[in-house]
Amino acid sequence: AMQRGGYSLSMYRSTAARFGPWTLVQELLDTMHQVALQHPGTSIANVAQRYVLQSSPAVGGLIVGVRNQDHIAENTRTFSFMLSDTEMKALQDVIAKRSGPRGDVWDIERGYDVS
């Protein structure tokens, strides 16, 4: 039997590995944490969602999963703040170091080469 969170954890681990070395994943998480601290009540997830929303005018919404009412409240906080140009640049600087994946996020699911 698979451990609790086993399948999800293996999916996230695989995605993180495609992004780059573990130290780079940690650098991105730390940068998002530092940004979240500038916006009281927000989380790393809120910063990630806000970054996606502000990165392209073509992105008008997000589809996020929730397991309980706390997740609904947390996701709603994404719309309580905007990232400054400095914060966007800090995130972009880390993301620019990634080794992958490139292209549309769903390209991995479609089986396209995203390296």
Side-chain angles (χ1 to χ4, degrees), residues 19-32:
F19 181 79
W22 187 244
T23 54
L24 184 58
V25 173
Q26 292 302 303
E27 182 181 350
L28 178 60
L29 291 171
D30 183 58
T31 302
M32 289 191 293

Side-chain angles (χ1 to χ4, degrees), residues 98-112:
R98 76 187 190 276
S99 55
R102 305 268 184 231
D104 185 299
V105 67
W106 296 112
D107 284 351
I108 295 168
E109 297 290 328
R110 294 179 187 118
Y112 298 154

Side-chain angles (χ1 to χ4, degrees), residues 30-101:
D30 183 58
T31 302
M32 289 191 293
H33 175 71
Q34 295 305 317
V35 170
L37 292 174
Q38 301 305 309
H39 304 277
T42 66
S43 67
I44 289 173
N46 296 138
V47 171
Q49 292 169 3
R50 175 53 45 201
Y51 176 81
V52 170
L53 288 168
Q54 285 183 229
S55 289
S56 170
V59 176
L62 301 167
I63 299 174
V64 294
V66 296
R67 290 188 302 248
N68 57 48
Q69 289 182 324
D70 292 338
H71 286 150
I72 295 170
E74 179 184 359
N75 288 321
T76 301
R77 287 192 291 274
T78 296
F79 302 98
S80 69
F81 71 104
M82 296 289 287
L83 298 174
S84 69
D85 290 343
T86 302
E87 292 166 334
M88 288 292 289
K89 182 171 180 346
L91 294 166
Q92 290 163 347
D93 287 349
V94 177
I95 293 167
K97 298 176 188 178
R98 76 187 190 276
S99 55

